[in-house]
Amino acid sequence: MTTTPAPTTAITHISQLVTNDPSLGEGPLGLIQDAAVVIDGDRIAWVGESSKAPATDNAVDAEGRAGIPGFVDSHSHLVFGGDRTAEFNARMSGRSYSAGGIRTTVAATREATDDALHANVARYLAEALRQGTTTQETKSGYGLTVEHEARALRIAAAHTDEVTYLGAHIVSPDYADDPAGYVDLVTGPMLDACAPHARWVDVFCEKGAFDGDQARAILTAGKAKGLHPRVHANQLGHGPGVQLAVELDAASADHCTHLTPADIDALAHSDTVATLLPGAEFSTRAQWPDARLLLDAGATVALSTDCNPGSSFTSSMPFCIALAVRDMGMTPDEALWSATEGGARALRRTDVGRITPGARADLALLDAPSHVHLAYRPGVPLVSDVWHKGVRV
């Protein structure tokens, strides 16, 4: 049986294309003016100036819009039931945020049907895709029993390849008087049930959740089962999370709000990405992470939404870019890179986060002449067209 090759498509007259490949264009973003991209199947086949684009089966005229790689959102919590509107309203009226609200979502998630959770994940992934997110990590962590954590990961894996086991989100209310017993569960029967459905293992290493020794035991057990570590680190205060992430070669240390000079130095001299989540600080009125210190030290920085019903209920990477530029010391170029190539590095991916031959054909056009407008025009829905795995969506 013969197969018909997929038609090729050229997107031409892109005013300014961010490739994230310095060998293709100007500066760290590899900028190309009046650019074209050729898509063949689900891959990028060619990138260059519009005047030099090869012949293709189909053509799309970008009409002077800017082009960027699809966003890579490397930290979210999409498998949940209910919401926490009341908590948000109270917090905005003066109550400070703590991790205790997670228990509210745990109860609602346990009560939700499989169909309801599938629909929820699909809804938020579609919402993110419309805003240019073409790669999405998501976690468990709102079940906290063997059955419910495994269910959450099966549901997540039906929608995305980047799935993280977060049985160690908080100590389950069922084990409130026996945190050591809960760690044994997370590193034993729960891990056994969850590992087949996940790529990553994560832990909330924070006062009120898991201390450094507990977190090390959980991450080490996950590694032994073939899961690679990620760490919720140094969000609510100074702690051991960042140092532990570097020690265990975690792909990312996420939040990184409260860092010592030693933490920054450790990140700068490691392969662990500092993933910053400005939506959480925005939604909790907390201290902003200092991206400038990390970048100037040479650390690799990613931006992500932390989309979850409690502390950061946004799926918008453009919004997080605007916050990072306005309040975290990043330039528009740095923020865009961190939301694309930075996120890819936080997932240890080389096929996404860039527009270069051989990469997956994930890209977006903006109703603007430059990617700088993502920060320059905050809150405006600038993403006009999205291609995901070569398909215009």
Side-chain angles (χ1 to χ4, degrees):
M1 184 177 70
T2 59
T3 58
T4 303
T8 54
T9 299
I11 308 168
T12 60
H13 301 118
I14 300 169
S15 62
Q16 185 185 76
L17 179 69
V18 175
T19 67
N20 285 337
D21 185 343
S23 71
L24 293 176
E26 177 187 352
L29 296 186
L31 292 172
I32 304 175
Q33 310 298 326
D34 191 16
V37 176
V38 172
I39 298 172
D40 186 354
D42 66 351
R43 297 284 149 178
I44 303 291
W46 182 91
V47 180
E49 298 174 8
S50 279
S51 62
K52 300 176 182 177
T56 55
D57 300 309
N58 302 309
V60 175
D61 190 341
E63 299 178 335
R65 293 178 174 86
I68 62 172
F71 296 122
V72 180
D73 189 346
S74 61
H75 183 126
S76 73
H77 305 251
L78 301 183
V79 188
F80 64 87
D83 69 23
R84 278 147 65 185
T85 305
E87 176 190 318
F88 177 80
N89 191 33
R91 188 165 65 238
M92 293 300 102
S93 302
R95 189 177 75 200
S96 62
Y97 171 71
S98 70
I102 293 170
R103 294 174 180 82
T104 303
T105 300
V106 168
T109 304
R110 289 178 179 180
E111 293 174 1
T113 66
D114 286 11
D115 287 347
L117 294 176
H118 274 291
N120 224 26
V121 175
R123 171 189 173 189
Y124 294 117
L125 286 176
E127 183 178 277
L129 184 61
R130 290 195 299 271
Q131 300 173 87
T133 298
T134 50
T135 302
Q136 182 88 50
E137 181 271 356
T138 198
K139 310 175 191 297
S140 65
Y142 292 127
L144 309 187
T145 68
V146 172
E147 174 190 358
H148 287 289
E149 284 294 296
R151 176 178 76 143
L153 292 172
R154 286 195 302 271
I155 289 169
H159 298 273
T160 180
D161 294 333
E162 297 294 347
V163 178
T164 300
Y165 166 50
L166 183 60
H169 201 178
I170 59 168
V171 173
S172 170
D174 309 320
Y175 283 78
D177 298 324
D178 186 16
Y182 186 65
V183 172
D184 289 342
L185 182 72
V186 168
T187 57
M190 188 184 288
L191 175 61
D192 291 340
C194 290
H197 309 292
R199 182 183 178 202
W200 307 98
V201 59
D202 198 347
V203 60
F204 190 12
C205 184
E206 198 74 56
K207 185 177 180 180
F210 298 89
D211 65 24
D213 290 339
Q214 292 169 327
R216 180 181 287 102
I218 290 162
L219 296 172
T220 302
K223 287 185 74 170
K225 281 286 188 178
L227 304 181
H228 203 85
R230 327 182 64 75
V231 184
H232 282 62
N234 300 55
Q235 177 188 6
L236 304 179
H238 293 286
V242 164
Q243 295 290 340
L244 181 62
V246 171
E247 173 194 327
L248 296 180
D249 186 37
S252 64
D254 297 21
H255 288 288
C256 293
T257 309
H258 299 273
L259 300 179
T260 66
D263 293 331
I264 295 170
D265 185 67
L267 288 165
H269 291 90
S270 74
D271 293 327
T272 298
V273 174
T275 300
L276 307 184
L277 311 170
E281 279 70 39
F282 177 86
S283 297
T284 60
R285 290 177 173 162
Q287 172 185 320
W288 298 102
D290 192 333
R292 188 77 266 138
L293 285 177
L294 286 161
L295 291 164
D296 289 348
T300 301
V301 173
L303 286 177
S304 186
T305 64
D306 192 20
C307 185
N308 75 83
S311 60
S312 183
F313 205 3
T314 180
S315 59
S316 175
M317 290 289 276
F319 174 65
C320 292
I321 286 173
L323 292 179
V325 172
R326 168 64 177 80
D327 291 304
M328 288 164 42
M330 301 186 87
T331 68
D333 284 11
E334 290 167 339
L336 189 279
W337 188 94
S338 293
T340 51
E341 177 69 17
R345 295 193 187 189
L347 294 174
R348 299 205 165 162
R349 297 276 294 270
T350 59
D351 61 328
V352 297
R354 56 180 61 192
I355 300 175
T356 188
R360 200 170 75 182
D362 293 349
L363 64 147
L365 297 181
L366 307 177
D367 272 330
S370 164
H371 66 279
V372 176
H373 282 237
L374 290 166
Y376 181 42
R377 304 196 68 208
V380 177
L382 294 178
V383 175
S384 63
D385 300 271
V386 180
W387 280 261
H388 182 217
K389 299 181 181 178
V391 177
R392 190 179 189 178
V393 296

